[in-house]
Amino acid sequence: MIILGIETSCDETAASVIEVKNDKVKVLSNVISSQIEIHKKYGGVVPEVAAREHVLNILPVVNEALVEAEVNPPNPLYQGGARYSAPLTRGGRGVDAIAVAVGPGLVTSLIVGVETAKTLAYAWQIPTIAVNHIEGHIYSNFIADQNIKFPALILTVSGGHTNIVLMKGHGKLQVIGETLDDAAGEAFDKAAQLMNLGYPGGPVISQWSEKFKTQSTEHKNQTKHKAQNTKQITLPRPIIQKPGFDFSFSGLKTALLYELQKDKKWRKRIPEYCHEFQQAIVDVLIFKTIKAAEKYKIRSVLLSGGVSANKELRSQLETAVKTKLNKAGFYMPELKYTTDNATMIATAGYYKAKRKKFTPWQKLKVDSNLELT
Ligand code: KG4
Ligand code: ZN
């Protein structure tokens, strides 16, 4: 089965083509046009700007994905629009279905992807599959691994969401914990803003944090060094001991703000602030995930979402699963599938298609607050 995936829920315009045989996913193309450079100057995503950019990018991105995957004749999108109704063929291959992210996300951005999917489905007379964006992140793990054992537990950490999902099988998803306020990625972005480090905050805080690790190692290696009088920076691990699996990160950002306000020399200690801030988030995420995995007798732990690109989170969670959980496997997506992309949407779409969960294009609807399940 060949699926075209479309993703426009935030600031990435993405399209991908996958070919799946017996659950084995072959990625034929994965095209992403990121708007990060445009939103950088505002310190975050501006919804109206994002939507306008999606409008400009969507057709070239979809076209590139089809051309790269070699499933389309040249420039089909510009040759007659809706009159072009033959299913795509080249080398005998055609697109069988279109999977599109319908929510959650920015409503005006989502509309661009959804309207494009509807139009193509009508023109090509092929079925559509509505995909939840978070479900897409979860399925980024199924791009490479089709043998993940259930029950699985997924920690999804992105700019807009942070939750723990119990997955008893395909289509059997239950949110067992979520953030009560800011998402982990949002916390990284806001912390970076407080320290004027740029946008997006996650990668930049992670880089500064690496500097702290190098500095500390160099420091330890010096035989003669001045005694450091500076007090170690410590930030809270919010609601880590609270029963249940919910998170809260807005207090952590405020705690950082207070520390910075008290410290006149904070600009000289940015690596250390970043390191502690990152570690506070990583500690809470890992603690709650392991606790939930123990409770539900989990056989696989999966990591997903933009923050899953974080090097420390990846390695520390992997170690925690291996040392603390008996016989549970650990999975995380390749780096290119951690942040928003359409391959994960197409893959989630494939598993829905397998269960015959198609939505007629006339009924495809954007839902910016779409819940999982
Ligand atoms: O999944 P994603 O691309 O978009 C949403 O669905 O929200 O996630 C974007 C988020 C941003 O908040 C960004 O700061 C964070 O992922 N992020 C990271 C890293 N790379 C991206 N956070 C921590 N460490 C990283 N290396
Ligand atoms: Zn996302």
Side-chain angles (χ1 to χ4, degrees):
M1 180 173 204
I2 294 187
I3 300 181
L4 166 68
I6 296 179
E7 155 64 41
T8 60
S9 63
C10 190
D11 59 343
E12 260 97 26
T13 319
S16 157
V17 180
I18 61 168
E19 183 171 25
V20 196
K21 279 187 197 141
N22 298 325
D23 297 351
K24 204 165 171 32
V25 177
K26 187 171 170 198
V27 181
L28 302 180
S29 62
N30 178 51
V31 180
I32 304 173
S33 166
S34 172
Q35 305 173 10
I36 283 182
E37 288 307 316
I38 295 166
H39 298 286
K40 237 177 194 168
K41 56 178 176 285
Y42 307 108
V45 179
V46 183
E48 264 323 297
V49 176
R52 281 160 201 250
E53 284 299 311
H54 284 308
V55 171
L56 295 175
N57 295 335
I58 190 73
L59 291 184
V61 165
V62 168
N63 199 45
E64 195 179 324
L66 295 170
V67 170
E68 206 182 305
E70 297 195 347
V71 285
N72 65 317
N75 289 333
L77 305 178
Y78 309 114
Q79 292 182 358
R83 279 186 292 114
Y84 182 79
S85 59
L88 303 175
T89 49
R90 184 192 273 185
R93 295 193 300 188
V95 174
D96 298 304
I98 302 175
V100 62
V102 295
L106 303 171
V107 64
T108 47
S109 289
L110 287 161
I111 284 173
V112 180
V114 170
E115 289 305 313
T116 305
K118 280 181 173 181
T119 311
L120 293 176
Y122 168 66
W124 298 340
Q125 296 293 299
I126 55 173
T128 50
I129 311 148
V131 175
N132 179 305
H133 177 79
I134 303 300
E135 194 169 358
H137 275 300
I138 291 172
Y139 274 87
S140 61
N141 283 287
F142 290 85
I143 299 169
D145 277 285
Q146 66 273 30
N147 296 318
I148 292 169
K149 292 193 176 73
F150 300 114
L153 193 77
I154 306 102
L155 171 66
T156 303
V157 264
S158 73
H161 304 271
T162 296
N163 58 32
I164 298 183
V165 170
L166 173 65
M167 185 177 189
K168 290 189 178 156
H170 294 292
K172 293 180 187 152
L173 304 171
Q174 185 193 346
V175 179
I176 58 164
E178 60 197 338
T179 183
L180 304 172
D181 38 59
D182 291 353
E186 192 179 354
F188 273 114
D189 295 339
K190 287 178 175 171
Q193 209 169 16
L194 288 178
M195 295 182 277
N196 296 320
L197 301 179
Y199 173 86
V204 81
I205 287 191
S206 163
Q207 280 159 18
W208 279 100
S209 175
E210 282 299 306
K211 273 189 200 160
F212 176 72
K213 275 174 78 180
T214 331
Q215 280 173 5
S216 328
T217 333
E218 280 169 5
H219 196 73
K220 270 185 210 147
N221 293 342
Q222 283 168 5
T223 41
K224 284 184 198 167
H225 62 262
K226 285 184 209 155
Q228 286 234 319
N229 296 324
T230 40
K231 207 173 121 238
Q232 200 187 333
I233 296 159
T234 49
L235 292 170
R237 274 44 180 170
I239 69 169
I240 196 162
Q241 295 302 345
K242 196 176 165 211
F245 308 111
D246 287 337
F247 302 101
S248 165
F249 292 112
S250 74
L252 180 61
K253 166 203 68 197
T254 314
L256 172 68
L257 174 67
Y258 290 155
E259 288 298 320
L260 295 174
Q261 283 172 342
K262 279 193 290 185
D263 184 358
K264 288 196 177 63
K265 293 187 179 158
W266 67 266
R267 282 180 189 80
K268 292 208 163 78
R269 299 179 77 189
I270 287 176
E272 196 179 346
Y273 276 105
C274 288
H275 183 263
E276 175 62 7
F277 188 82
Q278 173 176 279
Q279 195 55 48
I281 291 184
V282 169
D283 282 350
V284 180
L285 292 174
I286 294 181
F287 185 86
K288 299 259 173 175
T289 305
I290 298 293
K291 214 170 77 166
E294 283 166 345
K295 175 170 174 181
Y296 290 99
K297 305 202 169 25
I298 288 304
R299 296 177 73 197
S300 313
V301 175
L302 282 56
L303 179 61
S304 74
V307 182
S308 73
N310 188 276
K311 209 172 137 192
E312 288 301 319
L313 177 60
R314 290 169 86 86
S315 71
Q316 292 183 34
L317 182 57
E318 182 167 24
T319 308
V321 171
K322 284 188 179 149
T323 55
K324 299 203 167 112
L325 299 177
N326 220 351
K327 294 184 189 151
F330 178 68
Y331 302 84
M332 54 189 165
E334 251 184 86
L335 278 179
K336 64 180 170 198
Y337 301 128
T338 55
T339 43
D340 291 349
N341 65 88
T343 300
M344 68 185 194
I345 302 298
T347 306
Y350 162 74
Y351 282 94
K352 284 189 89 167
K354 239 184 115 176
R355 303 194 306 277
K356 308 257 180 298
K357 297 269 181 196
F358 295 102
T359 306
W361 66 262
Q362 295 91 335
K363 294 205 168 145
L364 271 186
K365 245 172 64 193
V366 163
D367 182 350
S368 58
N369 296 313
L370 186 65
E371 301 274 344
L372 211 53
T373 68

